[in-house]
């Protein structure tokens, strides 16, 4: 059963929304660039550069997002800058990911300037050359945050109606994207914690986790269950209960 579900990922992973950065109007930038010890002005420079290319940069707090972005995260592209460490050059990687955590664009930049701020500035400008001016496609309609897909019937007799879930350590919001998929997202993040897609088996979902692993998930009473893969090949049941 699991092998059949995992095989279906190849097909499901081809289903998406916009395919280019320029297809988007809204871009979110993380509050902190996790792979850098300090900012070096990169966030402000990225914001200024993308604004100059006609993108709208969203505030960190989602409550302040415009309704088009807040009501459907698939109208938003998540940008990030990664430190591509090198002994002799300042190097970085500029990434853009969609609401399914799918990589839309990865662009690398480097500089021979040894000073961090000046060198990284030059590297970022180089990476931004691949980013076209925004020419957005049609905005997607608001996602339903509580309704469960008719093709994703719960394996229990009760389908969860809550939109917020927690396992006691992580608080998540459930966003219904369309009739065939929903996502779980952490508060303050535009990158999904997990993406659920329906399969040919009622109540069983292919789940793409934020770390790139693929597994299965299902409903159980008022909870969402994910089989979390472990390093030794086993799976651990992780239960997120509706709040």
């Amino acid at each position: 059963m699991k092998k059949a579900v995992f095989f279906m990922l190849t097909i499901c992973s081809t289903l998406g929304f916009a395919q280019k950065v320029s297809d988007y109007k809204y871009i979110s930038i993380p509050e902190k660039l996790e792979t850098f010890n300090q900012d070096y002005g990169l966030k402000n420079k990225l914001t200024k550069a993308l604004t100059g290319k006609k993108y709208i940069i969203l505030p960190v707090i989602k409550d302040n997002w415009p309704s088009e972005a807040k009501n459907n995260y698939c109208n938003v592209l998540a940008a990030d800058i990664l430190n591509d460490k090198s002994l002799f050059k300042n190097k970085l990687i500029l990434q853009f990911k969609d609401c399914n955590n799918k990589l839309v664009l990865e662009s690398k930049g480097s500089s021979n300037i040894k000073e961090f701020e000046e060198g990284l500035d030059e590297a970022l400008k180089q990476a931004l050359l691949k980013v076209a001016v925004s020419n957005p496609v049609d905005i997607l309609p608001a996602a339903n945050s509580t309704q469960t897909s008719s093709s994703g019937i719960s394996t229990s007799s009760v389908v969860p109606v809550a939109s917020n879930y927690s396992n006691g350590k992580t608080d998540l919001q459930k966003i219904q994207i369309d009739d065939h998929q929903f996502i779980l997202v952490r508060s303050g993040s535009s990158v999904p914690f997990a993406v659920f897609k329906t399969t040919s088996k009622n109540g069983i979902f292919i789940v793409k986790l934020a770390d790139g692993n693929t597994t299965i998930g299902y409903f159980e009473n008022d909870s969402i269950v994910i089989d979390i893969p472990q390093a030794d090949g086993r799976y651990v049941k992780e239960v997120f209960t509706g709040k």
Side-chain angles (χ1 to χ4, degrees), residues 21 38 42 44 49 52 69 120 136 167-168 170 173 189 195 202 212 215 217 240:
V21 174
Q38 61 186 79
L42 288 171
N44 287 338
L120 290 170
N167 64 352
T170 304
Q173 182 182 10
S189 173
V195 179
N202 276 350
T215 183
F240 294 88

Side-chain angles (χ1 to χ4, degrees), residues 34 40 56 73-74 78 93 120 136 165 184 195 202 222 230-231:
E34 296 292 343
Y40 298 111
I56 295 176
Y73 290 175
C74 288
I93 301 171
L120 290 170
Y165 293 83
L184 294 178
V195 179
N202 276 350
D222 62 344
Q230 305 299 299

Side-chain angles (χ1 to χ4, degrees), residues 29 42-50 79 81 94 124 128:
I29 298 174
L42 288 171
K43 274 186 59 180
N44 287 338
K45 290 167 184 173
L46 179 59
T47 298
K48 183 177 179 180
L50 292 176
I81 303 174
L94 178 61
L124 179 59
L128 281 162

Side-chain angles (χ1 to χ4, degrees), residues 21-235:
V21 174
S22 59
D23 289 338
Y24 290 82
K25 177 180 179 181
Y26 299 106
I27 292 183
S28 69
I29 298 174
E31 187 172 8
K32 181 183 178 183
L33 302 177
E34 296 292 343
T35 59
F36 288 90
N37 293 328
Q38 61 186 79
D39 186 85
Y40 298 111
L42 288 171
K43 274 186 59 180
N44 287 338
K45 290 167 184 173
L46 179 59
T47 298
K48 183 177 179 180
L50 292 176
T51 301
K53 291 176 182 282
K54 310 301 183 184
Y55 295 93
I56 295 176
I57 308 304
L58 299 172
V60 173
I61 300 174
K62 285 191 174 63
D63 288 344
N64 297 331
W65 285 14
S67 58
E68 289 178 334
K70 184 164 55 177
N71 293 338
N72 195 326
Y73 290 175
C74 288
N75 289 322
V76 180
L77 204 58
D80 200 2
I81 303 174
L82 307 179
N83 187 359
D84 191 13
K85 294 181 180 179
S86 172
L87 288 176
F88 305 108
K89 291 185 177 182
N90 277 305
K91 299 171 65 178
L92 55 75
I93 301 171
L94 178 61
Q95 289 186 341
F96 295 88
K97 293 183 178 182
D98 67 11
C99 64
N100 291 308
N101 207 30
K102 178 184 176 183
L103 190 64
V104 175
L105 175 68
E106 179 175 278
S107 181
K108 296 183 178 182
S110 64
S111 171
N112 291 319
I113 300 175
K114 297 189 183 300
E115 290 74 16
F116 285 122
E117 188 159 346
E118 293 83 354
L120 290 170
D121 179 41
E122 183 175 78
L124 179 59
K125 288 178 180 177
Q126 186 182 112
L128 281 162
L129 292 175
K130 289 187 178 181
V131 181
V133 174
S134 176
N135 183 25
V137 297
D138 293 339
I139 295 294
L140 293 170
N144 187 333
S145 63
T146 58
Q147 188 176 24
T148 302
S149 161
S150 60
S151 58
I153 301 172
S154 171
T155 53
S156 72
S157 59
V158 179
V159 177
V161 295
S163 61
N164 295 299
Y165 293 83
S166 177
N167 64 352
K169 299 174 291 184
T170 304
D171 293 327
L172 302 171
Q173 182 182 10
K174 176 177 178 282
I175 304 291
Q176 191 77 37
I177 301 301
D178 55 34
D179 287 343
H180 304 290
Q181 63 179 326
F182 66 88
I183 61 176
L184 294 178
V185 293
R186 288 189 178 93
S187 176
S189 173
S190 59
V191 177
F193 172 84
V195 179
F196 288 70
K197 294 186 178 183
T198 57
T199 68
S200 59
K201 179 71 173 178
N202 276 350
I204 304 295
F205 298 86
I206 293 172
V207 181
K208 180 75 174 290
L209 301 175
D211 61 7
N213 280 318
T214 303
T215 183
I216 61 172
Y218 54 93
F219 295 138
E220 185 175 82
N221 299 320
D222 62 344
S223 301
I224 295 175
V225 178
I226 304 175
D227 281 351
I228 303 294
Q230 305 299 299
D232 60 3
R234 294 182 303 111
Y235 288 82

